[in-house]
Amino acid sequence: MNMSNFLKTIFLALVIVAAFFVPVAAVVPVDVITLPASDKSGGMPLMRALNERKSLRAFTDEAISQQDLSNLLWAAFGINRADGRRTAPTARNSQQVRIYAAMANGVWLYDAAKHALYKVLERDVTQSFHAPLTLVYAVADDKYGPMHAGAVFQNVGLYCASAGLGNVVKAQGVNVLTNDELKLPADYAVVIVQSVGRPR
Ligand SMILES: Cc1cc2nc3c(=O)[nH]c(=O)nc-3n(C[C@H](O)[C@H](O)[C@H](O)COP(=O)(O)O)c2cc1C
């Protein structure tokens, strides 16, 4: 094969490969959100945030910004020490709390180590929760599980108070998503949800 035919062959091979991959890439959904760095220096003084903390049940449709989402998830159960320990305590540092974020673009699992969200479900369930963001808390099914969820949702409640966001924790709503949809380990269960949004 002379040089010209060789180059033609290479070009043709590249066109065939591109024709195969480009349309596939175009339809592959985004399934990872790398969150921006959380702002760990801002917010209102703790005593004022405690004074502002309350349940609120009516939200606008406005999506929560990625910065608020980042701050909120870090406040919830992010890593705050070099050894990987978290903003909320867990018995024997088991860290057995899974936080799912249900938003219009699907349901996402928070990975604290990567400070990222991984899509587990394509479905928009925001109408079922009447909020643009609902955190779904799944914990290991033992006597400490609900305590762990409580520590985390209080962190979120205080962040919301500080950031001017509304929130409510609800025992109702724990069945909106099934264990299969959340790809939960066998010994985990959803114990509470927490809706967040701009006050209406
Ligand atoms: C474990 C738990 C479960 C709750 N479940 C619901 C619920 O299913 N629906 C709801 O509207 N509020 C629910 N709430 C919110 C409470 O009604 C609310 O915290 C209480 O009325 C006190 O109001 P405050 O949070 O503004 O102080 C729940 C709160 C907790 C701690």
Side-chain angles (χ1 to χ4, degrees):
M1 191 187 294
N2 64 29
M3 194 58 175
S4 157
N5 280 348
F6 176 73
L7 287 175
K8 274 186 203 156
T9 308
I10 294 287
F11 178 74
L12 200 64
L14 286 174
V15 168
I16 290 167
V17 169
F20 181 75
F21 281 109
V22 169
V24 173
V27 296
V28 168
V30 175
D31 55 7
V32 183
I33 299 174
T34 305
L35 294 164
S38 52
D39 176 2
K40 303 185 180 93
S41 62
M44 62 173 54
L46 175 63
M47 296 305 266
R48 259 186 69 205
L50 283 163
N51 199 43
E52 296 288 328
R53 191 224 59 86
K54 57 181 168 293
S55 298
L56 199 137
R57 295 174 178 79
F59 310 107
T60 69
D61 292 335
E62 187 184 331
I64 301 299
S65 71
Q66 288 223 346
Q67 188 61 57
D68 268 329
L69 195 55
S70 165
N71 295 351
L72 182 149
L73 287 167
W74 180 80
F77 201 43
I79 293 173
N80 68 355
R81 279 155 289 170
D83 64 1
R85 288 175 192 242
R86 308 295 190 92
T87 56
T90 51
R92 295 183 303 277
N93 191 29
S94 69
Q95 304 191 354
Q96 288 174 317
V97 182
R98 282 180 164 227
I99 306 177
Y100 295 87
M103 303 184 284
N105 58 358
V107 180
W108 305 74
L109 176 62
Y110 178 54
D111 179 334
K114 296 204 167 62
H115 198 51
L117 289 165
Y118 291 86
K119 189 176 272 182
V120 294
L121 188 68
E122 197 64 42
R123 199 147 59 87
D124 174 2
V125 291
T126 55
Q127 293 307 313
S128 305
F129 291 121
H130 311 289
L133 167 67
T134 295
L135 302 175
V136 176
Y137 298 111
V139 294
D141 200 5
D142 61 29
K143 66 177 177 179
Y144 299 120
M147 297 182 208
H148 295 160
V152 173
F153 73 58
Q154 181 70 355
N155 283 354
V156 172
L158 289 173
Y159 173 76
C160 288
S162 169
L165 292 167
N167 87 98
V168 63
V169 288
K170 284 190 173 179
Q172 303 161 325
V174 293
N175 295 320
V176 167
L177 293 159
T178 66
N179 290 9
D180 279 353
E181 285 173 320
L182 296 173
K183 300 174 182 66
L184 273 186
D187 56 337
Y188 272 63
V190 173
V191 284
I192 195 105
V193 304
Q194 183 170 31
S195 294
V196 175
R198 298 252 157 236
R200 180 144 55 83

Coordinates of all heavy atoms in Angstrom, one line a residue, residues 53-55 57 153 168-172 192, ligand 1:
R53 N -34.1 28.5 62.8 CA -34.5 27.1 62.3 C -36.0 26.9 62.6 O -36.5 27.1 63.6 CB -33.7 26.1 63.1 CG -33.9 24.7 62.4 CD -34.1 23.5 63.4 NE -35.2 23.7 64.3 CZ -36.5 23.3 64.0 NH1 -36.8 22.7 62.8 NH2 -37.5 23.4 64.9
K54 N -36.7 26.4 61.5 CA -38.1 26.1 61.6 C -38.5 25.2 60.4 O -37.8 25.2 59.4 CB -39.0 27.3 61.6 CG -38.8 28.3 60.4 CD -39.7 29.5 60.6 CE -39.3 30.6 59.6 NZ -38.0 31.2 59.8
S55 N -39.6 24.6 60.5 CA -40.2 23.8 59.4 C -41.0 24.7 58.5 O -41.7 25.6 58.9 CB -41.1 22.7 59.9 OG -40.4 21.8 60.7
R57 N -43.2 24.4 54.6 CA -43.7 23.4 53.8 C -44.1 23.8 52.4 O -44.5 23.0 51.6 CB -44.9 22.7 54.4 CG -44.6 21.9 55.7 CD -45.8 21.4 56.4 NE -45.4 20.7 57.6 CZ -45.0 21.2 58.8 NH1 -45.0 22.5 58.9 NH2 -44.6 20.4 59.8
F153 N -30.1 15.5 59.5 CA -31.1 16.4 59.0 C -31.1 17.7 59.9 O -31.5 18.8 59.4 CB -32.5 15.8 58.9 CG -33.3 15.4 60.1 CD1 -33.6 16.3 61.1 CD2 -33.7 14.0 60.2 CE1 -34.4 15.9 62.2 CE2 -34.5 13.6 61.3 CZ -34.8 14.5 62.3
V168 N -38.3 21.1 55.5 CA -39.1 20.3 56.4 C -38.7 18.8 56.3 O -38.4 18.3 55.3 CB -40.6 20.5 56.2 CG1 -41.0 19.9 54.8 CG2 -41.5 19.8 57.3
V169 N -38.6 18.2 57.5 CA -38.4 16.7 57.5 C -39.7 16.1 57.6 O -40.7 16.6 58.2 CB -37.5 16.2 58.7 CG1 -36.1 16.6 58.4 CG2 -38.0 16.7 60.0
K170 N -39.9 15.0 56.8 CA -41.2 14.3 56.8 C -41.0 12.8 56.8 O -40.2 12.2 56.1 CB -41.9 14.6 55.4 CG -42.5 16.0 55.4 CD -43.3 16.2 54.2 CE -44.1 17.5 54.2 NZ -44.9 17.7 53.0
A171 N -41.8 12.2 57.8 CA -41.8 10.7 57.8 C -42.7 10.3 56.7 O -42.4 9.2 56.1 CB -42.4 10.3 59.2
Q172 N -43.7 11.1 56.3 CA -44.5 10.8 55.1 C -43.6 10.9 54.0 O -42.7 11.8 54.0 CB -45.6 11.9 54.8 CG -46.6 12.2 55.9 CD -47.2 13.6 55.6 OE1 -46.5 14.5 55.2 NE2 -48.4 13.7 56.0
I192 N -36.5 8.7 56.7 CA -37.0 10.1 56.7 C -36.6 10.8 55.4 O -35.6 10.4 54.8 CB -36.5 10.8 58.0 CG1 -37.4 12.1 58.3 CG2 -35.1 11.2 57.9 CD1 -38.3 11.9 59.4
Ligands
LIG1 C1 -39.1 12.6 62.9 C2 -39.9 13.7 62.3 C3 -40.9 13.4 61.5 C4 -41.7 14.4 60.9 N1 -42.7 14.1 60.0 C5 -43.4 15.1 59.4 C6 -44.3 14.7 58.4 O1 -44.5 13.6 58.0 N2 -45.0 15.8 57.8 C7 -44.8 17.1 58.2 O2 -45.5 18.0 57.6 N3 -43.9 17.4 59.1 C8 -43.2 16.4 59.8 N4 -42.3 16.7 60.7 C9 -42.1 18.1 61.1 C10 -42.7 18.5 62.4 O3 -44.1 18.5 62.2 C11 -42.2 19.8 62.9 O4 -40.8 19.7 63.2 C12 -42.9 20.2 64.2 O5 -44.3 20.6 63.9 C13 -42.3 21.4 64.9 O6 -42.2 22.5 64.0 P1 -40.7 23.2 63.8 O7 -39.9 22.2 63.1 O8 -41.1 24.4 62.9 O9 -40.2 23.5 65.1 C14 -41.5 15.7 61.3 C15 -40.5 16.0 62.2 C16 -39.7 15.0 62.7 C17 -38.5 15.4 63.6

